[in-house]
Amino acid sequence: MGLDTATQASASPASPLGKADDAGARRRREHRRRLARAVRRGLLAAVVLAALVATVLALRPRPVGVDVASVTRGPLVVAVEESGMTRVVDRYVVSAPVTGSISRTPFTEGDAVREGDVLARIVPSLSPLLDERARTEAQAQLSAALSALGQAQALEQRASVAREQADRDLARTQQLVTSGSLPPQALDDAQFAARMHAQELASAEFATKVASEQARVARAALGQEGDRSATGRHVDVVAPVSGRVLRVTQKSEGVVQAGAPLLEVGDPTLLEIVVDLLTTDAVNVAPGTPVTIERWGGDHDLAGRVRLVEPSAFTKPSALGVDEQRVNVIVALTDPRERWSALADGYRVEARLILWRSEAVTKVPMGAVFRHGDGWAVFRVDGGAAHLVPVTIGHRGDAEVELTGGVEPGTSVVVHPGDRVKEGVRVEVR
């Protein structure tokens, strides 16, 4: 009993040791409560701050996605592209000199003929081949053919003199270029002029032959062709020049009227290209303009030069049905025949006429430049924002435009800016 009483006395709260334990426990509980309150307050503040940041970010304008390009320095070409068609330089339409019955033509397209070959034979119809009126007309035709022959011979002599002068100019230019007195471009121009005069001489010679054959046909119509008139009662239609048959108009035997086309003859190795341009583009084209022939079927481009811009335009409907004023531009091929031997009469090609070129200009994609007031401007990208910069432009190429002032090479500019791109707007590269 005494031991139990001592034990109870030692465990009594009234003892100093028990009071100390209770105070420490209370302090620890209070500390834990304060710590829990602080943690809850911190979490609540973090949630509120995160919500506030999210709200600000959601309400903040987003950067506009744009495409950018750099202002560069390099070559620029101003050109006009248009479809064209090849044609034989000298095409001769062989027609019936008299009215009568023509025999079946033995020639087909592509057949080679030589000058003087009989292409067709015309025999009299039931009525006399030549009455008095027809004979008078035939005599007049002979006189006109002889006059045309004299004119053709004079033109041939003139072309021959021009050819000789061009050859002398070429020789002098070669010497001056070799000595360094003239630039190489002068030699190219002299060679081009010599080739052009050579072709003009060849054309004049062909014209002389045509006039001669026309005079011969007129004599035959009058019965002045010796054996043929003696055996009589027919007229042979002969080839005016050597070449190939391009087209047969009258194939079968039948009655033809005087002047009716029978065949077309020409030399397919002498080709030129006809390109019809809008008159607004043709005013910038002059003889000698360089031309590149593309997409003609070969694996390489061809070179040429403008020989002639025809003096008269014509009206032609566009693909949309709108009438356009166009003019034919004649292009002479300057490459050797071996490079374009696959081309023939009537082939379609794409011609690129070089109006201007430079090897070193400040340029930018055309989509980056837009109208601004009375001038032009671009949006420069600097520090993640777009800034409006007025610029001045020069020549315009197919996809690039020359800048003559406003920005320097290396500057990043916006390509195809939309309505959302304005001064100071934040942008980001897509």
Side-chain angles (χ1 to χ4, degrees):
M1 183 175 179
L3 181 60
D4 293 337
T5 301
T7 304
Q8 291 176 359
S10 63
S12 174
S15 64
L17 181 60
K19 291 180 179 179
D21 292 339
D22 290 341
R26 284 195 300 272
R27 285 194 298 272
R28 287 191 296 273
R29 287 195 296 272
E30 185 65 25
H31 178 71
R32 286 194 295 269
R33 284 195 293 272
R34 287 197 299 270
L35 182 61
R37 285 196 298 271
V39 171
R40 287 195 296 272
R41 289 173 182 170
L43 291 175
L44 180 60
V47 171
V48 172
L49 180 60
L52 180 60
V53 171
T55 302
V56 171
L57 293 177
L59 296 179
R60 181 183 180 187
R62 295 182 178 179
V64 179
V66 295
D67 297 323
V68 299
S70 296
V71 179
T72 59
R73 188 164 181 82
L76 182 66
V77 176
V78 179
V80 175
E81 294 187 5
E82 194 61 70
S83 298
M85 184 174 295
T86 61
R87 73 179 184 187
V88 174
V89 175
D90 294 304
R91 180 188 298 268
Y92 302 94
V93 179
V94 181
S95 58
V98 295
T99 300
S101 297
I102 188 172
S103 60
R104 182 176 177 83
T105 302
F107 296 96
T108 59
E109 289 81 354
D111 288 348
V113 295
R114 292 179 299 177
E115 181 181 353
D117 286 350
V118 177
L119 303 179
R121 175 168 294 178
I122 299 177
V123 298
S125 57
L126 296 178
S127 59
L129 183 60
L130 289 177
D131 52 21
E132 290 300 322
R133 178 180 177 181
R135 179 173 293 278
T136 302
E137 292 177 351
Q139 289 173 345
Q141 290 176 354
L142 177 58
S143 178
L146 292 176
S147 299
L149 177 59
Q151 182 182 18
Q153 290 172 345
L155 292 176
E156 181 181 354
Q157 293 176 358
R158 179 180 177 182
S160 178
V161 172
R163 165 73 183 281
E164 293 174 357
Q165 181 62 37
D167 291 340
R168 288 193 294 270
D169 291 343
L170 177 59
R172 285 194 297 268
T173 304
Q174 287 176 338
Q175 294 176 356
L176 293 175
V177 170
T178 303
S179 63
S181 300
L182 289 178
Q185 179 64 33
L187 180 58
D188 295 339
D189 295 339
Q191 291 175 342
F192 178 74
R195 285 196 294 268
M196 290 300 98
H197 285 297
Q199 291 188 2
E200 290 175 359
L201 176 59
S203 179
E205 291 173 348
F206 284 139
T208 301
K209 294 178 180 179
V210 170
S212 176
E213 293 302 325
Q214 288 176 346
R216 182 180 177 186
V217 169
R219 290 192 183 96
L222 285 170
Q224 299 177 2
E225 277 297 303
D227 295 339
R228 282 198 294 271
S229 62
T231 55
R233 314 301 293 171
H234 72 272
V235 174
D236 290 336
V237 181
V238 299
V241 293
S242 298
R244 289 187 177 274
V245 177
L246 303 178
R247 183 176 290 107
V248 178
T249 306
Q250 180 69 32
K251 178 67 176 177
S252 300
E253 180 180 355
V255 177
V256 295
Q257 298 297 318
L262 304 178
L263 301 94
E264 292 184 16
V265 179
D267 186 357
T269 62
L270 299 176
L271 291 181
E272 62 185 9
I273 298 174
V274 183
V275 183
D276 61 285
L277 298 180
L278 289 171
T279 54
T280 53
D281 293 330
V283 294
N284 299 315
V285 179
T289 299
V291 181
T292 301
I293 308 302
E294 304 171 341
R295 297 188 292 278
W296 58 277
D299 56 359
H300 57 274
D301 295 340
L302 302 176
R305 283 182 180 268
V306 173
R307 182 175 66 83
L308 173 68
V309 179
E310 292 188 352
S312 179
F314 55 90
T315 302
K316 179 180 179 181
S318 67
L320 299 178
V322 179
D323 287 342
E324 298 175 338
Q325 289 302 113
R326 291 183 168 268
V327 62
N328 285 332
V329 175
I330 312 303
V331 178
L333 292 168
T334 57
D335 277 348
R337 163 69 180 168
E338 294 75 16
R339 290 179 56 85
W340 50 271
S341 58
L343 283 177
D345 182 54
Y347 281 35
R348 182 181 180 274
V349 298
E350 294 292 331
R352 179 180 173 88
L353 288 77
I354 310 300
L355 305 182
W356 179 88
R357 72 167 67 201
S358 177
E359 298 301 326
V361 297
T362 301
K363 60 182 181 177
V364 72
M366 189 171 292
V369 182
F370 56 90
R371 295 292 299 184
H372 179 65
D374 295 334
W376 299 85
V378 298
F379 277 113
R380 184 185 72 237
V381 179
D382 188 9
H387 300 283
L388 183 69
V389 180
V391 296
T392 55
I393 67 173
H395 296 88
R396 304 183 194 180
D398 296 334
E400 296 175 318
V401 61
E402 177 188 10
L403 296 182
T404 58
V407 293
E408 297 296 329
T411 305
S412 295
V413 295
V414 179
V415 180
H416 300 295
D419 296 338
R420 297 175 60 193
V421 181
K422 301 180 183 302
E423 170 63 29
V425 170
R426 294 191 309 114
V427 294
E428 63 179 0
V429 180
R430 283 197 285 256

